[in-house]
Amino acid sequence: DLLPPKDSKDSYRPRYSEVAAQMGCFQEGAEPALRIPPVEQLWRDHLLAGAILIHSEQPHDEGYFVLVHPEINEACTQAVASYRACLSNDDTFKVWTLDAVVEALLEHADYDWAWTIRDRYVDFYRVDHAYQDHYVAQTTASARTVRIELSDIQAREGHRVWFRPSSSGFAMVGLLPGKPQLGTSYDSTNRLRGDFEAEFAVHCDGPGPKRVTPEKALQSFLVSSALANGRQLESIDESLVFLTDELVIPSIYGDQRLDVLALRRLPDGARLALVELKSERALTELLRQTRIYAEFLDNHRDALAGLASAILGEDILITEPCERWVIWPSAGSPGPDPRTKDFADAGVRVVSYRIVNDGFGFDIGPELR
């Protein structure tokens, strides 16, 4: 991130200004900005290259400072933009991405160590995969704790509260109509077991939001209905078993959240079901999102089977690729959704919803082959 350690004491030296003036590549009046991190680190490295170039006893005809960083490193990208704004020319300052350097090495020479560098520093799929498995394992541990220590409260209060496991503990999520998804996070079950009603009143039954979004209301409706019916998502398919919601998919590209994760038991195993909830009819974005999330589920079958086992308290074996579902607003008239075929062609089963009093009505698309 180009930021110095908090206890760093490497103070400014007059020699910096002397070399900078001799290099002749900095904007007039830019020095105050160049002394501020993260630009300061680039300036110091650039000055080192400049000092070698202008050395009186061993002068060089050509040379420059090269910053090499992963293409995805936004901190470096932003620092470079700020640094370039301080330059009058960049003849002695170059920026290469590590991705491009490694690809050039692999193209022109068969170096085993180049593949090692690529695997460790550039192949972010491998990094993400390991990180995601670790995240699911942490969530699994939380799910096991919730099932063992809060199952009595969950069974009794499932119509109005849901204990959602996460990598850092769990959340108590309110499911009350008019106050959907209100709640707070915990790292221990002690307070809830000590006085659930007081905790619920403060965090889930306080003042409701000024505007309840259809998506949050729909999510609470589906979860509360499932918890009241042995975890069956009978509103859309009674064979689907609700596992969890708001499952985070961590990534170096930015975390994403899967709306609802369910399970379908099969004669010789099970398969996961991805259920995405949307309040707008944005087909292209929905198809892109469901494809990415489905890849995550299929790429982490073993880890997610462990999560399902911890939630349900039984051994789960995932044997087939996941199902893809989308629940979005009705186009207006009852009956099949006009975009059913578009979804079906992408392997997605569509359900359209309409608001009915304090609940929802659903038009469920045909089962996919």
Side-chain angles (χ1 to χ4, degrees):
D1 56 9
L2 300 177
L3 297 177
K6 293 182 179 180
D7 58 352
S8 176
K9 296 181 180 179
D10 188 9
S11 58
Y12 167 77
R13 297 179 177 85
R15 174 66 172 159
Y16 296 169
S17 298
E18 180 184 336
V19 173
Q22 290 179 280
M23 290 174 68
C25 62
F26 297 102
Q27 295 278 4
E28 185 177 353
E31 191 166 309
L34 290 167
R35 297 185 191 180
I36 302 173
V39 169
E40 181 188 32
Q41 182 61 54
L42 298 180
W43 187 46
R44 290 173 185 265
D45 293 337
H46 195 182
L47 290 177
L48 180 60
I52 296 173
L53 278 172
I54 62 177
H55 196 285
S56 59
E57 298 181 3
Q58 294 179 320
H60 294 75
D61 295 329
E62 185 179 358
Y64 36 79
F65 162 54
V66 180
L67 173 67
V68 181
H69 70 84
E71 184 176 357
I72 197 174
N73 190 322
E74 295 184 1
C76 285
T77 301
Q78 294 170 5
V80 166
S82 298
Y83 189 66
R84 287 192 187 282
C86 297
L87 298 176
S88 57
N89 70 74
D90 60 1
D91 295 342
T92 58
F93 176 63
K94 308 295 180 183
V95 180
W96 301 339
T97 66
L98 181 59
D99 314 55
V101 171
V102 172
E103 288 304 316
L105 287 171
L106 295 175
E107 180 180 354
H108 297 289
D110 186 17
Y111 294 133
D112 289 342
W113 55 263
W115 284 104
T116 301
I117 291 176
R118 180 183 183 278
D119 288 346
R120 180 165 182 175
Y121 296 106
V122 180
D123 188 353
F124 295 116
Y125 172 81
R126 290 164 61 105
V127 175
D128 264 357
H129 192 90
Y131 178 29
Q132 289 163 355
D133 261 354
H134 176 67
Y135 182 92
V136 173
Q138 291 179 309
T139 305
T140 298
S142 298
R144 188 175 296 109
T145 298
V146 166
R147 177 175 55 80
I148 293 172
E149 300 183 14
L150 296 177
S151 58
D152 54 339
I153 301 177
Q154 185 67 88
R156 186 181 70 243
E157 306 292 345
H159 61 289
R160 59 173 180 156
V161 74
W162 154 237
F163 300 121
R164 176 192 297 150
S166 71
S167 64
S168 58
F170 65 96
M172 177 176 65
V173 183
L175 304 174
L176 297 175
K179 302 176 183 179
Q181 303 295 298
L182 296 182
T184 190
S185 297
Y186 299 84
D187 57 12
S188 166
T189 62
N190 294 339
R191 285 162 58 192
L192 285 171
R193 293 198 63 79
D195 196 342
F196 165 75
E197 289 298 341
E199 291 292 309
F200 182 86
V202 170
H203 300 293
C204 301
D205 199 13
K210 292 182 179 179
R211 177 179 175 272
V212 176
T213 63
E215 193 170 329
K216 286 187 176 181
L218 174 61
Q219 187 167 337
S220 286
F221 177 84
L222 289 172
V223 173
S224 62
S225 297
L227 294 175
N229 289 280
R231 303 189 80 99
Q232 293 178 330
L233 282 166
E234 63 174 18
S235 299
I236 60 171
D237 188 329
E238 63 182 12
S239 296
L240 286 181
V241 179
F242 170 69
L243 292 177
T244 189
D245 66 345
E246 294 294 314
L247 179 65
V248 174
I249 304 175
S251 171
I252 57 173
Y253 297 98
D255 294 350
Q256 300 182 73
R257 291 180 183 272
L258 187 157
D259 288 338
V260 173
L261 179 64
L263 180 88
R264 187 185 300 280
R265 293 186 175 91
L266 303 171
D268 58 350
R271 65 168 169 257
L272 296 170
L274 155 70
V275 184
E276 280 301 291
L277 315 175
K278 294 301 169 189
S279 56
E280 297 180 354
R281 294 174 62 87
L283 177 69
T284 302
E285 175 59 19
L286 268 174
L287 292 180
R288 184 194 71 83
Q289 204 168 57
T290 54
R291 176 182 57 78
I292 292 172
Y293 293 175
E295 288 177 358
F296 166 78
L297 296 183
D298 290 337
N299 288 336
H300 297 272
R301 281 190 194 179
D302 291 344
L304 290 164
L307 175 61
S309 300
I311 291 171
L312 300 177
E314 61 183 270
D315 291 335
I316 299 295
L317 177 65
I318 307 299
T319 56
E320 294 189 11
C322 73
E323 299 179 21
R324 308 180 194 185
W325 291 69
V326 161
I327 304 179
W328 71 347
S330 169
S333 58
D337 193 285
R339 306 308 296 267
T340 295
K341 185 178 185 303
D342 296 318
F343 278 108
D345 289 343
V348 179
R349 192 171 181 183
V350 64
V351 176
S352 53
Y353 73 81
R354 52 192 189 282
I355 299 174
V356 180
N357 299 322
D358 289 333
F360 294 84
F362 300 94
D363 293 309
I364 302 168
E367 185 175 353
L368 302 182
R369 293 182 180 178

